[in-house]
Amino acid sequence: MNLTPVWVVFLGSIFTNNILFASFLGMCSFLVVSNRIPTAIGLGTAVTFVMFCTTVINFLIYHYILVPLGLDFVSFIIFIAVIAAFVQFLEMFVERFSPSLYYALGIFLPLITVNCAILGASLFMVIRNYNLTQTVFYGLGAGLGWFLAIALMAGLREKMGYSNVPRALRRTGIVMLMAGVIAMTFMGFTGMLSTG
Amino acid sequence: MLPAILAVGVTTAVFIALAVFLLIAERYLVNYGVSNVSINEGSTIFEQDGGTTLLSALYDHKIFVPSACGGKGSCGFCKVVVPEGGGPVLPTELPFLSRAEQRSGVRLSCQVKIKQDIQIQIPEDLLAVKEYRARVSEIRQLTYDIKEINLELIEPEHISHHPGQYVQLQAPDPAGGFIHRAYSISSPVYDDTKVQLVVRLVPDGIASTYVHNLAVGDEVLFTGPYGEFRLNDDPDREIVLVGGGCGMAPLKNIVLTAENRWPGRKVKLFFGARTTKDIFYLDMFKELKEQHPNLEVVYALSDPLGPEEHWDGETGFVHLSVDKYLEQTSRRQAFLCGPPPMISAVMQILGEKGMNPDDIFYDKF
Amino acid sequence: MADSVTTAPVARRRFQPFGGKAGEILLEGVYKANPVTKQVLGICIFLAVTNRVANALVMGAALTFVTAMSNLFISALRNSIPRRIRMIAQVAIIATFVIMIDQFFRGFYWSMSKQLGPYVALIITNCIVMGRAEAYAMQNPPLPSLLDGIANGIGYAIILIFISIVRELVGSGSILGFTILPAAWYTKNLIFLLAPGAFFTGGFLIWILETISPSSQSEEGGERK
């Protein structure tokens, strides 16, 4: 039983426990893909939606199928299968019912399947023993947190284009250092939610 | 044992459930039915199952729209005018379309998915493009990194092309599937049972590595001919050809074809290279000059000469030689083939010499 | 020469007449095309487990095991897997080995398992494992694939261990739990054990390595050629 109030779960997952700045998840696809804000927004929206839906679906499967049968160790395979299937379904659904949305987001969807943050959210949901309501707000919050993280970094990287970054730090190096500073800033949020 | 069996069973059950779910979703969501593809206001119509790209549909019907990247959306060659039925323009197409093109309905056919009845316009020339199977009949090493590949046509047996046109050679892609690369035809048009290519080996280049690994007897596939070079029929018009590197290919074709058809026509060929190691065909052109006094051939080397190199021809970049040897006149046609900076420099000089931009044809490599 | 995250390694290997000798494969995986520093893969796990040398050692071993075994099996099955379900099959094989190692830790090293948390499971989505499966194991016979998996795993592990030594030393004055810098005169820099420290150390590592042996990369902001 996890007794954390729902609003703490929500705000915590965005700020103090930011899935990228605190748990390091979702860096790979971001580093390789985007250094521009429009791309970051597209990717962020897609990830938030997928994270939200898959954590809830995985919660239901985990607690109503796997645990009663004592099969919790199979959860990894099931989670990743659900994520992959969901992303594929989403791609079809969006393309059919909203072509304009598909053209904006569709190219990001295949990238999301291997985004560690999505799987990570489901894993954290299990580790921290959230109930259904908590899971709902956690999935949403974690996604928004990731969105916030990459939007911040994309914005900073765009500005970096005008700075004289040492040659050896270009691309990955400077992003890491930037992320470190932002991570420190986010640590300052800890006082915001006294969970005890 | 029981937990293991149960695990495998439940996992398989979940997988099957997901697969079934996706299949059902696909049937209801992605089923577009059959659409009509109408080309050039109905001169050709065919039916196509929805969901495929326009490019692959056209290829299935033997209409070979040029494509270097094999439909991945990274070359921008497969442009087709789609007045109706193409849906909104995709972000993947925008980098390759100018504003004017977007306004007139130009699309990348590899990105347009057929979901409804669609009308397209394709230039007549493109409809004449065919797929050819050929066999490598001879390979000559021209310089340390340039090879001449001679292909004997198997089927169809003849190719009719204009001097300066190119073909799209098919090469296997290590990542799966095929890619196509454009290579100009260096054999003259009167030799219509063969196609000769001049290919430089580009480090890590998929197609050029494939070509340089070919052996005599190997079979290759290509589509063609493509390209808008058109030789003017007026024998009084001077022909100026400027090329760099493997841009020699189309120029050789034009020189041989022109001298064959109009033996007295003035032809000036300028070829730019870096060192004496990059020179090829010079002896062949010297022989040709003896039969055709109106042919002028200037090779210009841009790099400073090394200790063992002997060169008594022109030096410096090729556009400087063009400037030096051309007179003022507008009765002239020019064909340029080489890297973009060379093209820009030469075009400027040609403009100063009084040429009409419509008389200048170029291929940027 | 350095490789970037493209199919460049594949194109080169395909034209080697003898499929590459064992030593060359190992060298490529460990040094020339090191997953973290050159290919920028597996960052997530790298940042998470390098706060203690013990964690890094164990995770390095786990990843080597998973990459090697999944490379082996995927390579053995590479001609029998239908194209449409290729990715799913790869993921299933990788996930199986991850589950194996995770259960192993839970059974025999419970405290370590708790320390590593979800990061063992995240080996599944770790781009290194998938990357090697797709780029090497699908194209080459089982034995070289096994070696390639071991090499990449070791390359990753070396980096993990090296960085964790730095972080643990600076952060808690110890290595593997043994106090090296006594608390008497050394004030622990706790920030190095936390998230920011991970990012900074990673950034500095990349800085150093890029200065020593630069990759051929395009400039920041350059997109299409």
Side-chain angles (χ1 to χ4, degrees):
Chain A
M1 270 309 297
N2 190 318
L3 299 171
T4 326
V6 167
W7 65 275
V8 173
V9 168
F10 182 64
L11 290 176
S13 60
I14 300 180
F15 296 109
T16 59
N17 271 326
N18 186 292
I19 203 162
L20 195 149
F21 290 126
S23 305
F24 314 111
L25 301 182
M27 288 284 291
C28 303
S29 40
F30 171 67
L31 279 173
V32 179
V33 164
S34 125
N35 54 0
R36 290 171 62 238
I37 291 194
T39 324
I41 292 183
L43 197 50
T45 319
V47 165
T48 306
F49 185 64
V50 175
M51 216 183 259
F52 171 65
C53 296
T54 51
T55 39
V56 172
I57 297 176
N58 283 333
F59 173 89
L60 296 171
I61 295 184
Y62 185 78
H63 285 280
Y64 293 113
I65 301 181
L66 296 180
V67 168
L69 293 175
L71 292 178
D72 51 319
F73 63 91
V74 171
S75 52
F76 301 163
I77 296 191
I78 304 282
F79 285 173
I80 196 95
V82 167
I83 292 173
F86 182 78
V87 171
Q88 200 161 344
F89 168 72
L90 192 63
E91 205 174 334
M92 288 192 277
F93 189 83
V94 172
E95 186 179 2
R96 169 63 165 226
F97 289 111
S98 174
S100 52
L101 193 60
Y102 178 70
Y103 299 134
L105 293 185
I107 30 177
F108 299 118
L109 289 176
L111 281 174
I112 292 177
T113 317
V114 287
N115 186 324
C116 20
I118 311 267
L119 180 61
S122 292
L123 294 172
F124 277 123
M125 175 265 298
V126 166
I127 290 180
R128 294 178 192 159
N129 227 339
Y130 288 142
N131 62 31
L132 186 55
T133 331
Q134 288 170 321
T135 306
V136 165
F137 282 94
Y138 174 66
L140 190 58
L144 289 175
W146 193 83
F147 189 172
L148 178 65
I150 66 166
L152 274 176
M153 292 215 280
L156 287 171
R157 274 181 104 172
E158 265 193 17
K159 292 284 187 194
M160 282 290 175
Y162 301 109
S163 309
N164 216 349
V165 178
R167 216 205 55 86
L169 268 183
R170 295 215 176 116
R171 287 181 106 214
T172 324
I174 197 67
V175 172
M176 296 283 251
L177 295 181
M178 249 170 31
V181 175
I182 303 180
M184 281 208 297
T185 336
F186 271 55
M187 278 176 68
F189 286 123
T190 324
M192 181 173 95
L193 311 161
S194 47
T195 48
Chain B
M1 261 333 274
L2 188 58
I5 300 180
L6 197 56
V8 173
V10 169
T11 315
T12 323
V14 172
F15 268 59
I16 294 180
L18 288 173
V20 165
F21 169 67
L22 281 179
L23 283 171
I24 298 180
E26 195 170 356
R27 269 224 15 202
Y28 282 104
L29 293 178
V30 187
N31 194 4
Y32 295 113
V34 172
S35 310
N36 282 329
V37 179
S38 156
I39 305 179
N40 289 350
E41 272 119 52
S43 67
T44 317
I45 299 187
F46 56 85
E47 289 187 337
Q48 182 71 26
D49 281 332
T52 52
T53 61
L54 184 57
L55 183 68
S56 50
L58 290 173
Y59 266 65
D60 285 342
H61 285 83
K62 302 281 177 233
I63 299 175
F64 299 105
V65 176
S67 162
C69 63
K72 299 189 188 117
S74 54
C75 69
F77 281 24
C78 58
K79 292 183 184 167
V80 170
V81 177
V82 183
E84 235 182 84
V89 179
L90 296 184
T92 40
E93 298 177 65
L94 290 175
F96 297 102
L97 301 175
S98 70
R99 270 204 216 281
E101 285 174 325
Q102 284 173 44
R103 273 200 303 269
S104 40
V106 175
R107 305 289 300 276
L108 288 191
S109 51
C110 64
Q111 302 297 305
V112 174
K113 274 223 174 115
I114 301 181
K115 296 185 200 171
Q116 53 187 319
D117 289 345
I118 186 171
Q119 280 180 31
I120 61 177
Q121 284 171 12
I122 298 185
E124 288 299 322
D125 283 349
L126 222 47
L127 291 174
V129 164
K130 301 195 198 115
E131 186 172 44
Y132 291 85
R133 214 158 40 92
R135 186 181 303 113
V136 178
S137 60
E138 193 192 337
I139 300 179
R140 284 171 57 200
Q141 189 89 32
L142 298 175
T143 71
Y144 65 95
D145 66 347
I146 298 186
K147 274 191 186 174
E148 178 192 276
I149 313 280
N150 290 282
L151 302 171
E152 195 71 43
L153 297 182
I154 302 175
E155 169 161 12
E157 290 174 14
H158 298 275
I159 182 169
S160 99
H161 62 280
H162 301 278
Q165 285 194 300
Y166 62 92
V167 298
Q168 297 240 257
L169 189 72
Q170 183 173 288
D173 187 347
F178 294 102
I179 54 141
H180 297 88
R181 283 286 182 268
Y183 293 110
S184 296
I185 305 174
S186 58
S187 47
V189 304
Y190 49 80
D191 246 339
D192 66 351
T193 56
K194 68 180 275 195
V195 162
Q196 184 190 80
L197 306 175
V198 172
V199 179
R200 157 176 281 153
L201 179 62
V202 174
D204 286 336
I206 300 177
S208 55
T209 312
Y210 165 74
V211 172
H212 276 247
N213 285 341
L214 286 174
V216 173
D218 283 346
E219 272 187 31
V220 297
L221 285 174
F222 61 85
T223 55
Y226 303 98
E228 277 131 37
F229 280 27
R230 292 291 180 276
L231 255 191
N232 192 294
D233 273 339
D234 182 353
D236 284 333
R237 274 187 175 254
E238 184 184 73
I239 302 175
V240 167
L241 307 166
V242 187
C246 58
M248 171 64 87
L251 305 184
K252 175 183 169 192
N253 182 341
I254 298 177
V255 170
L256 294 175
T257 306
E259 292 298 359
N260 174 282
R261 208 182 282 176
W262 305 280
R265 191 162 177 179
K266 276 204 220 166
V267 175
K268 290 194 167 71
L269 171 67
F270 295 90
F271 184 67
R274 290 178 46 202
T275 68
T276 50
K277 285 206 295 262
D278 298 303
I279 293 181
F280 57 99
Y281 286 158
L282 184 53
D283 295 326
M284 177 206 48
F285 283 126
K286 284 203 176 134
E287 271 180 43
L288 205 57
K289 269 183 63 115
E290 279 162 30
Q291 296 161 21
H292 299 273
N294 280 338
L295 170 65
E296 261 183 68
V297 175
V298 175
Y299 275 47
L301 295 183
S302 60
D303 277 5
L305 290 175
E308 307 105 32
E309 291 181 278
H310 295 289
W311 178 247
D312 54 359
E314 288 296 331
T315 52
F317 286 115
V318 66
H319 67 280
L320 298 171
S321 300
V322 175
D323 195 17
K324 185 170 164 187
Y325 285 93
L326 281 191
E327 303 139 9
Q328 284 280 119
T329 173
S330 64
R331 302 214 62 180
R332 176 189 284 141
Q333 256 196 324
F335 298 89
L336 316 178
C337 231
M342 182 211 91
I343 306 239
S344 310
V346 173
M347 281 188 72
Q348 183 158 6
I349 308 254
L350 292 176
E352 286 166 17
K353 298 283 182 188
M355 274 200 75
N356 191 331
D358 285 339
D359 290 326
I360 307 181
F361 296 86
Y362 60 89
D363 259 342
K364 285 187 193 175
F365 279 38
Chain C
M1 284 291 129
D3 297 340
S4 51
V5 187
T6 61
T7 55
V10 178
R12 227 182 285 155
R13 286 206 179 96
R14 295 215 91 199
F15 294 114
Q16 267 180 10
F18 302 110
K21 290 181 288 194
E24 203 171 302
I25 299 178
L26 286 172
L27 186 67
E28 181 100 13
V30 174
Y31 176 65
K32 289 200 217 151
N34 187 289
V36 174
T37 60
K38 292 297 178 187
Q39 299 184 56
V40 196
L41 301 175
I43 295 289
C44 326
I45 298 188
F46 166 77
L47 294 168
V49 306
T50 46
N51 54 349
R52 291 176 56 206
V53 181
N55 294 4
L57 271 170
V58 172
M59 179 57 86
L63 197 112
T64 309
F65 172 75
V66 174
T67 318
M69 295 306 286
S70 58
N71 259 19
L72 179 68
F73 275 74
I74 289 176
S75 169
L77 293 172
R78 74 188 184 282
N79 294 318
S80 342
I81 304 178
R83 261 199 70 196
R84 285 204 68 174
I85 61 166
R86 196 182 80 235
M87 271 205 88
I88 307 177
Q90 285 171 1
V91 172
I93 295 177
I94 295 172
T96 312
F97 287 110
V98 170
I99 292 183
M100 272 167 60
I101 201 97
D102 181 64
Q103 290 296 304
F104 176 74
F105 286 152
R106 278 179 207 245
F108 294 103
Y109 291 117
W110 175 239
S111 60
M112 178 57 70
S113 179
K114 284 227 74 166
Q115 279 272 336
L116 295 176
Y119 293 101
V120 176
L122 286 172
I123 296 179
I124 300 179
T125 50
N126 183 306
C127 331
I128 295 178
V129 189
M130 271 299 257
R132 293 329 287 170
E134 188 63 33
Y136 198 86
M138 285 299 283
Q139 253 91 257
N140 290 283
L143 202 51
S145 298
L146 178 67
L147 285 174
D148 179 83
I150 295 179
N152 272 277
I154 292 183
Y156 191 64
I158 289 180
I159 297 288
L160 285 185
I161 295 171
F162 181 66
I163 293 302
S164 64
I165 291 180
V166 171
R167 278 182 75 191
E168 192 178 345
L169 201 55
V170 176
S172 34
S174 64
I175 294 184
L176 281 175
F178 300 112
T179 316
I180 311 276
L181 302 171
W185 53 268
Y186 181 72
T187 322
K188 302 180 193 181
N189 280 303
L190 282 174
I191 199 95
F192 269 84
L193 298 179
L194 301 172
F199 285 116
F200 289 141
T201 325
F204 287 133
L205 171 72
I206 293 181
W207 195 351
I208 294 173
L209 288 176
E210 279 290 312
T211 315
I212 298 177
S213 103
S215 325
S216 51
Q217 289 174 352
S218 54
E219 296 298 306
E220 177 86 345
E223 296 194 315
R224 277 197 317 114
K225 277 155 283 203

